[in-house]
Amino acid sequence: MRAVALDSIGDEQYKHYRLRVDGYISRDGSFEIENIELDAELPRAKIIEFFKANKFDSSSVPSVFEKWYIGRNYLYFRKRDDRVARQEKRQEKIKQKQEFEKRLTSESIKGVYIPKDLGECFIELDKLLKEVDKTEMQSLSNRDDMIRYHHGLGTWIRNNWGLWGGSRLQKYFTDKGIMHPDDMSSVVLSHYHDWLNGKKETWKDWEKNQIKR
């Protein structure tokens, strides 16, 4: 492995390995690790030993403090052999594509059930939300007011139902011409207002009128 400059991380021809370390640097240059996260291929024990055995530039530590917190330090590495690093990148892309395609048909991702259409979204939201929350949504004067849940519940939907990283619900929307996750979650929220107010079939009208790709 060899370290690589931060401005070269965007180079797509090589596979890169990531290390993040948070901790405290003391005035004598020693570094105390508070948290370390690294890709599985990196030698964790050797890296920890490196930080313990070496002294670092402590000029950034204010004179009134004995030590100073330094967080979110990222280091990147790749294989020394360019050919090997390129081959690893090709294999990584193949694996990512396979994983993405698998997500598009999976019923669940990371233990969360993924609805297959709008109707199932509402069934799952009914299970997820508390009655007080559903009553509050139901009392809104019109579906456009559901925009207030774009952050919060909308974020949960986008992240947990795979609207960013790929899922069968994402595919459901893209097949109907809805391409951005924000727009997908907006459709879910606005039609959920109908659902809560007894209009259980309006989502089917929306579905029929969408342009299929």
Side-chain angles (χ1 to χ4, degrees), residues 90-153:
R90 287 193 291 269
Q91 292 172 346
E92 181 181 53
K93 288 182 177 179
I94 291 171
K95 183 178 179 181
Q96 288 173 344
K97 182 179 180 181
Q98 291 172 339
E99 290 176 349
F100 180 79
E101 291 175 349
K102 182 179 179 181
R103 287 171 66 98
L104 296 182
T105 58
S106 296
E107 288 190 355
S108 64
I109 297 174
K110 295 182 179 179
V112 177
Y113 180 78
I114 307 298
K116 66 175 184 284
D117 57 27
L118 263 180
E120 282 206 350
C121 287
F122 309 146
I123 293 171
E124 293 305 307
L125 287 175
D126 279 347
K127 297 175 185 176
L128 173 70
L129 297 173
K130 297 178 180 178
E131 288 301 322
V132 64
D133 297 321
K134 289 186 282 188
T135 299
E136 179 183 90
M137 294 176 187
Q138 184 182 24
S139 67
L140 296 176
S141 58
N142 61 72
R143 59 159 63 167
D144 291 339
D145 292 336
M146 291 290 284
I147 188 65
R148 70 176 62 180
Y149 300 103
H150 180 76
H151 301 292
L153 179 58

Side-chain angles (χ1 to χ4, degrees), residues 113-211:
Y113 180 78
I114 307 298
K116 66 175 184 284
D117 57 27
L118 263 180
E120 282 206 350
C121 287
F122 309 146
I123 293 171
E124 293 305 307
L125 287 175
D126 279 347
K127 297 175 185 176
L128 173 70
L129 297 173
K130 297 178 180 178
E131 288 301 322
V132 64
D133 297 321
K134 289 186 282 188
T135 299
E136 179 183 90
M137 294 176 187
Q138 184 182 24
S139 67
L140 296 176
S141 58
N142 61 72
R143 59 159 63 167
D144 291 339
D145 292 336
M146 291 290 284
I147 188 65
R148 70 176 62 180
Y149 300 103
H150 180 76
H151 301 292
L153 179 58
T155 299
W156 188 93
I157 289 171
R158 292 187 292 276
N159 291 342
N160 290 275
W161 285 350
L163 300 186
W164 289 109
S167 69
R168 66 177 183 172
L169 183 61
Q170 183 199 53
K171 186 177 186 302
Y172 167 81
F173 281 114
T174 57
D175 285 348
K176 292 169 175 52
I178 310 298
M179 309 307 293
H180 197 284
D182 286 346
D183 297 328
M184 297 175 190
S185 61
S186 292
V187 172
V188 173
L189 291 173
S190 63
H191 283 82
Y192 188 52
H193 181 267
D194 288 351
W195 176 275
L196 291 173
N197 281 279
K199 302 173 184 178
K200 303 290 187 180
E201 304 297 320
T202 59
W203 70 272
K204 294 182 180 179
D205 295 331
W206 173 88
E207 188 179 74
K208 286 189 294 186
N209 292 329
Q210 285 304 119
I211 299 173

Side-chain angles (χ1 to χ4, degrees), residues 6-40:
L6 187 61
D7 58 5
S8 69
I9 299 306
D11 188 343
E12 285 295 312
Q13 64 177 321
Y14 303 119
K15 176 176 172 61
H16 293 101
Y17 299 90
R18 184 183 68 100
L19 162 67
R20 172 188 165 180
V21 61
D22 308 316
Y24 296 87
I25 185 169
S26 299
R27 296 196 59 77
D28 65 359
S30 59
F31 189 79
E32 175 188 344
I33 296 175
E34 182 179 68
N35 180 59
I36 185 169
E37 299 173 7
L38 68 166
D39 291 336

